[in-house]
């Protein structure tokens, strides 16, 4: 299906606009109320699938590089001030998703994206300066509940949700030893985990009493795409899943480098798109470490875009190899 640039761009546009329907409303609600963990109501009142806080935060950050590429190189909606205004607004709404949902996964994904975008920007000093200024402006405006929840990243034992994940991951590793080919879909429903949480009760400035509580739970989800694949599809499934995404990252790097310098006329869009798809996939893989999205359709749409772009460029290069080879400059004649 994705045999032309128009079709590739159309899929990217549909993905961005579809996610925009969710994040724009969520961004407005975040600005109005500040959101809250498990409290921000998105397009539907259902905290599952794409509407779960950590998942929509991860997907929203993935969409940012695609939205910026469409604003700069799109042909369906040609670049202009209205397109750029909408793209910037969508990106701002995407950044607000980790704040509104208070999902730590989204914060980690956003940091990874900012680091990767440093490679593709030409004015790196200006980029870093703007990031620093933006952080100084944004930090005082963040809700106190958001700062408190983000602080639990340092110590997972202080947070029950994080402690649950670690316990389930340990259970999955042991489960895979006895079931190397996995336990099938929803195998997590048979787990039983127990762990201790720690909470500091301060009595004065320098005195603190550590309170330990034992928690026992059953049927808790994996909260990680990697352990989701390991528990359900075993080592073969995990290997195939990782191979699929690693090949995507590598192929986009190959395409990116092929057109990074002096691209042929009409192909200046290739390297930025390969860069955007690579960034989106790496963000997905990072976010997938903390939330079970191994079978979410969005990531396979990213893979589809990568396959379409790689195949399209391959056909172009095979049909007209000569113009795509860098011409060697003639050596000056000896005097």
């Amino acid at each position: 299906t994705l045999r032309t640039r128009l079709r590739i761009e159309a899929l990217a546009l549909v993905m961005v606009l579809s996610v925009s329907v969710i994040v724009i409303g969520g961004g407005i609600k975040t600005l109005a109320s500040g959101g809250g963990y498990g409290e921000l109501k998105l397009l539907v009142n259902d905290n599952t699938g794409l509407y779960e806080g950590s998942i929509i935060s991860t997907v929203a950050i993935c969409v940012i590089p695609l939205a910026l590429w469409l604003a700069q190189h799109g042909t369906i909606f040609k670049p202009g001030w209205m397109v750029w205004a909408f793209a910037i607004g969508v990106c701002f709404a995407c950044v607000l998703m980790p704040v509104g949902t208070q999902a730590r996964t989204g914060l980690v994904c956003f940091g990874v994206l900012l680091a990767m975008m440093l490679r593709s920007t030409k004015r790196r000093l200006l980029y870093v300066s703007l990031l620093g200024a933006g952080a100084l402006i944004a930090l005082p405006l963040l809700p106190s509940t958001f700062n408190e929840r983000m602080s639990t990243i340092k110590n997972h034992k202080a947070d029950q949700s994080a402690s649950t994940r670690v316990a389930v991951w340990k259970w999955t590793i042991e489960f895979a030893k006895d079931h190397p080919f996995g336990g099938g879909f929803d195998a997590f429903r048979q787990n039983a985990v127990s762990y201790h949480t720690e909470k500091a009760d301060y009595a004065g400035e320098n005195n603190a009493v550590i309170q330990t509580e034992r928690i026992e739970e059953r049927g808790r989800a994996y909260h990680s795409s990697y352990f989701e694949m390991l528990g359900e599809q075993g080592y073969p499934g995990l290997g195939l899943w990782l191979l699929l995404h690693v090949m995507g990252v590598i192929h986009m790097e190959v395409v990116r480098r092929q057109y990074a310098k002096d691209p042929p006329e009409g192909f200046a869009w290739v390297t930025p798109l390969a860069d955007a798809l690579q960034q989106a996939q790496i963000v997905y893989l990072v976010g997938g470490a903390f939330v079970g999205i191994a079978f979410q359709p969005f990531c396979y749409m990213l893979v589809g875009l990568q396959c379409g772009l790689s195949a399209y460029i391959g056909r172009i290069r095979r049909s007209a190899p000569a113009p795509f080879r860098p011409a060697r400059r003639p050596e000056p004649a000896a005097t």
Side-chain angles (χ1 to χ4, degrees):
T1 303
L2 304 178
R3 294 183 59 83
T4 65
R5 174 186 175 179
L6 178 60
R7 293 183 179 186
I8 294 172
E9 180 185 339
L11 175 55
L13 179 63
V14 169
M15 292 170 63
V16 171
L17 293 181
S18 299
V19 174
S20 300
V21 173
I22 304 173
V23 301
I24 290 176
I28 293 174
K29 293 178 181 179
T30 299
L31 291 175
S33 64
Y37 181 65
E39 299 178 3
L40 185 67
K41 306 302 180 184
L42 298 171
L43 188 63
V44 298
N45 189 15
D46 187 6
N47 192 37
T48 60
L50 194 59
Y51 303 99
E52 194 274 331
S54 296
I55 296 178
I56 189 59
S57 296
T58 300
V59 171
I61 301 302
C62 289
V63 158
I64 292 177
L66 292 178
L68 295 176
W69 178 82
L70 287 167
Q72 186 176 5
H73 299 281
T75 58
I76 300 175
F77 294 101
K78 295 183 179 180
W81 72 267
M82 293 181 67
V83 172
W84 271 108
F86 181 80
I88 293 174
V90 168
C91 292
F92 181 62
C94 289
V95 174
L96 288 176
M97 282 298 93
V99 179
T101 61
Q102 295 188 3
R104 293 162 295 195
T105 303
L107 180 64
V108 174
C109 289
F110 186 51
V112 171
L113 178 62
L114 292 179
M116 287 190 298
M117 292 179 71
L118 181 63
R119 183 181 70 161
S120 57
T121 185
K122 296 180 179 179
R123 300 179 179 178
R124 296 182 178 179
L125 182 59
L126 177 61
Y127 175 79
V128 174
S129 300
L130 290 175
L131 288 182
L136 291 175
I137 296 173
L139 286 177
L141 302 177
L142 293 174
S144 58
T145 53
F146 174 81
N147 294 327
E148 292 173 0
R149 182 161 176 79
M150 294 306 110
S151 65
T152 59
I153 294 177
K154 300 179 180 179
N155 182 16
H156 73 274
K157 292 184 178 181
D159 180 75
Q160 183 172 341
S161 176
S163 298
T164 301
R165 299 184 185 198
V166 175
V168 172
W169 295 347
K170 292 179 179 179
W171 175 88
T172 306
I173 293 174
E174 295 300 321
F175 179 78
K177 293 180 180 179
D178 298 327
H179 304 81
F181 294 98
F185 294 111
D186 291 342
F188 69 88
R189 296 186 181 279
Q190 58 188 297
N191 67 36
V193 298
S194 61
Y195 53 89
H196 291 87
T197 59
E198 297 179 356
K199 182 179 179 181
D201 185 13
Y202 289 92
E205 296 182 359
N206 300 320
N207 297 324
V209 177
I210 305 299
Q211 297 180 350
T212 302
E213 181 181 2
R214 182 176 178 82
I215 306 294
E216 295 184 1
E217 299 187 69
R218 293 180 177 274
R220 292 306 302 265
Y222 299 102
H223 291 292
S224 171
S225 298
Y226 303 92
F227 288 98
E228 179 183 11
M229 292 301 301
L230 178 61
E232 295 185 352
Q233 312 305 324
Y235 290 103
L238 176 61
L240 288 173
W241 184 80
L242 289 174
L243 180 63
L244 174 69
H245 292 289
V246 170
M247 286 178 62
V249 173
I250 294 175
H251 274 243
M252 289 303 97
E253 183 65 22
V254 171
V255 174
R256 177 185 178 276
R257 294 190 178 188
Q258 286 174 341
Y259 295 89
K261 296 181 179 179
D262 299 326
E265 185 178 357
F267 287 86
W269 58 275
V270 174
T271 289
L273 178 56
D275 207 14
L277 290 174
Q278 187 185 63
Q279 291 171 357
Q281 189 168 33
I282 292 176
V283 167
Y284 162 80
L285 290 173
V286 171
F290 307 103
V291 62
I293 51 177
F295 296 103
Q296 283 287 323
F298 181 85
C299 72
Y300 296 102
M301 293 180 184
L302 281 178
V303 173
L305 278 172
Q306 293 174 339
C307 294
L309 176 62
S310 180
Y312 172 74
I313 295 303
R315 289 194 303 271
I316 295 296
R317 293 178 67 87
R318 288 191 298 270
S319 62
F324 288 83
R325 293 174 181 172
R328 297 182 62 182
R329 294 184 179 180
E331 297 182 0
T335 57

